Amino acid sequence: MGDFRRTVGGMAAAATLVAALSAAALPARADDAPKPPNPDSVNRVLPHAPYPVSARARALHATIPVADLHADPLLWNRDLLKRNDIGHIDIPRLREGGFALQDFSVVSKSPRSANYVKTDANDGDVMADRARAEHWPRKTWNSVLQRALYGADKLKGIEKRSHGQLRIVRTKGDLRRALHDHVIAGVLLSEGAHPLEGKLSNIKVMYDGGFRVLGLQHFFDNELGGSLHGESHGGLTPFGKAVIPQAEKQGLIIDVAHSSEAVVFDTLAIAKRPIIVSHTGIKGYCNTPRNVSDAALKAVADHGGLIGVGYWDAAVCEPTMKNVTEAIVYAVKLLGPEHVALGSDFDGGVPMPFDASEMAGLTSSLLDAGLDEKTVKMVMGENAIRFFSTYLPAK
Ligand SMILES: [Zn+2]
């Protein structure tokens, strides 16, 4: 989430999104005062001419099961069953873009001054504010775990109302059937493991709630260790070191997006299975506080993992099709084609160069940049499909 546009220090932009999220919680205004702007408006698609799609690219794109490791449409009160002219994702645009799989991120806590450089974990929580103001079930008001489960239930509601267009996958078999039936496979991802509320027993509660990807940190240091944007930049705590093996045993995939580099290396030292970085930029291509060093991402790849390249400006320095393409080409050269995937952060509260319906434009741009068809198919979806087909639980 919320890798909102920022300059180094980024406080201002953080305030914009936190304000947007908080505004979403404002009670309806009785009088005829001007309505506050729709908080969803932070999810802009930057104005652009239609991206060119060569005939070769269109033909290739039609054969790709497009897959994305991280998006936050569940954060907003948008009807994802209809084609919206706001935001980056909904079911119709996922179908137009050729998506076979989308990770749906659930955000359960966000300090008011969340920023990329140094976030105080104890500076309130706009998600708790929203739970109250938007009248979420009372049990969500004081529980990060219950807010995470509420987010998962939101996707289950969309699944039910989608008349089979979207199917939440929990096992290899679910994914195989979704691919066979050409429906969109949705994977539930928790952005940070703070919903565990410091208890190992909550790993099974999250799993039973439908989550299959467990991010360890978000914008702030938590019980498991340091965030990339926290105050300590520390490694895994003893609790964090106990979570990794138990989460793997339970069948959860570990995600170290937003984790401190010390946590990344500590996790790689313990994890028995490959891990992912669901949405990130690469410091060697774009040196911002949001991005992770080439060495850390290379270590994740050498451990068999998958890195999702993002599209927003702190990830690629300028949110353009050109920069997204260059960042992916850089990642392929650095990490190897089998370790690179898409990690858009669509609807993460950031302006984007394109939306989910325009993925053929990225396929075309990657071909124009000189990647061969096999590599383009791998990056655009096959790597992620292979990864989830391998590491989702058998049953
Ligand atoms: Zn994020």
Side-chain angles (χ1 to χ4, degrees), residues 106-111 121 125 127 143-148 190-199 202 206 214-225 227 239 243 257-258:
V106 173
V107 174
S108 49
K109 173 179 174 178
S110 184
D125 180 356
M127 298 311 291
S143 166
V144 185
L145 174 62
Q146 291 304 326
R147 285 197 292 277
S190 177
E191 188 140 25
H194 25 280
L196 298 179
E197 297 182 347
K199 297 194 199 101
N202 283 332
M206 293 280 286
L214 183 67
L216 301 182
Q217 278 80 26
H218 195 194
F219 268 94
F220 50 94
D221 301 344
N222 63 18
E223 300 86 346
L224 288 80
S227 157
F239 176 69
V243 166
H258 291 293

Side-chain angles (χ1 to χ4, degrees), residues 365-386:
S365 181
L366 291 171
L367 288 172
D368 294 348
L371 291 187
D372 62 44
E373 296 194 1
K374 184 167 178 288
T375 300
V376 172
K377 289 184 77 169
M378 290 163 78
V379 170
M380 291 292 294
E382 290 183 344
N383 285 340
I385 298 286
R386 185 195 71 245

Side-chain angles (χ1 to χ4, degrees), residues 192-193 214-218 222 224 236 244 254-256 259 263 267:
L214 183 67
L216 301 182
Q217 278 80 26
H218 195 194
N222 63 18
L224 288 80
L236 285 173
I244 305 295
I254 302 293
D255 176 13
V256 292
S259 294
V263 163
T267 302

Side-chain angles (χ1 to χ4, degrees), residues 4-282:
F4 6 97
R5 194 170 58 73
R6 22 180 107 271
T7 55
V8 173
M11 302 300 264
T16 319
L17 181 88
V18 170
L21 286 176
S22 315
L26 282 176
R29 301 169 66 93
D31 58 26
D32 57 0
K35 259 167 80 13
N38 176 345
D40 205 353
S41 59
V42 291
N43 297 306
R44 290 182 302 126
V45 178
L46 294 164
H48 62 271
Y51 295 109
V53 182
S54 66
R56 177 184 170 221
R58 195 162 299 287
L60 179 69
H61 192 75
T63 70
I64 300 174
V66 175
D68 183 85
L69 299 183
H70 192 105
D72 295 289
L74 296 177
L75 253 183
W76 313 94
N77 299 327
R78 188 189 319 144
D79 178 355
L80 298 181
L81 296 175
K82 70 177 182 57
R83 196 184 199 291
N84 296 271
D85 52 18
I86 198 167
H88 309 129
I89 276 192
D90 46 52
I91 304 291
R93 284 183 283 179
L94 285 171
R95 294 180 73 84
E96 287 168 36
F99 280 78
L101 183 144
Q102 177 66 61
D103 284 2
F104 287 86
S105 160
V106 173
V107 174
S108 49
K109 173 179 174 178
S110 184
R112 294 199 179 84
S113 55
N115 67 80
Y116 282 144
V117 177
K118 196 172 185 189
T119 299
D120 172 3
N122 303 310
D123 180 26
D125 180 356
V126 295
M127 298 311 291
D129 300 343
R130 285 189 66 184
R132 277 181 178 75
E134 292 181 14
H135 311 296
W136 297 6
R138 184 170 281 275
K139 64 182 178 182
T140 66
W141 293 10
N142 302 311
S143 166
V144 185
L145 174 62
Q146 291 304 326
R147 285 197 292 277
L149 296 172
Y150 182 74
D153 290 346
K154 198 173 175 180
L155 189 62
K156 293 168 194 170
I158 294 163
E159 176 189 34
K160 207 176 281 166
R161 295 192 311 278
S162 79
H163 304 296
Q165 294 181 86
L166 172 79
R167 207 181 287 166
I168 298 174
V169 296
R170 295 170 176 79
T171 67
K172 291 179 174 57
D174 289 346
L175 178 54
R176 201 172 46 250
R177 286 183 289 275
L179 294 169
H180 175 269
D181 301 346
H182 297 291
V183 301
I184 298 162
V187 175
L188 275 164
L189 176 156
S190 177
E191 188 140 25
H194 25 280
L196 298 179
E197 297 182 347
K199 297 194 199 101
L200 291 176
S201 57
N202 283 332
I203 290 172
K204 187 168 184 320
V205 176
M206 293 280 286
Y207 181 88
D208 293 345
F211 288 98
R212 290 297 179 268
V213 179
L214 183 67
L216 301 182
Q217 278 80 26
H218 195 194
F219 268 94
F220 50 94
D221 301 344
N222 63 18
E223 300 86 346
L224 288 80
S227 157
L228 192 59
H229 326 290
E231 294 175 307
S232 75
H233 290 269
L236 285 173
T237 62
F239 176 69
K241 288 180 177 161
V243 166
I244 305 295
Q246 188 159 333
E248 288 194 314
K249 204 159 126 253
Q250 181 67 62
L252 288 161
I253 290 162
I254 302 293
D255 176 13
V256 292
H258 291 293
S259 294
S260 71
E261 301 221 354
V263 163
V264 173
F265 286 105
D266 283 354
T267 302
L268 290 171
I270 299 171
K272 294 273 181 297
R273 304 187 323 156
I275 67 175
I276 70 172
V277 186
S278 66
H279 59 308
T280 189
I282 307 148

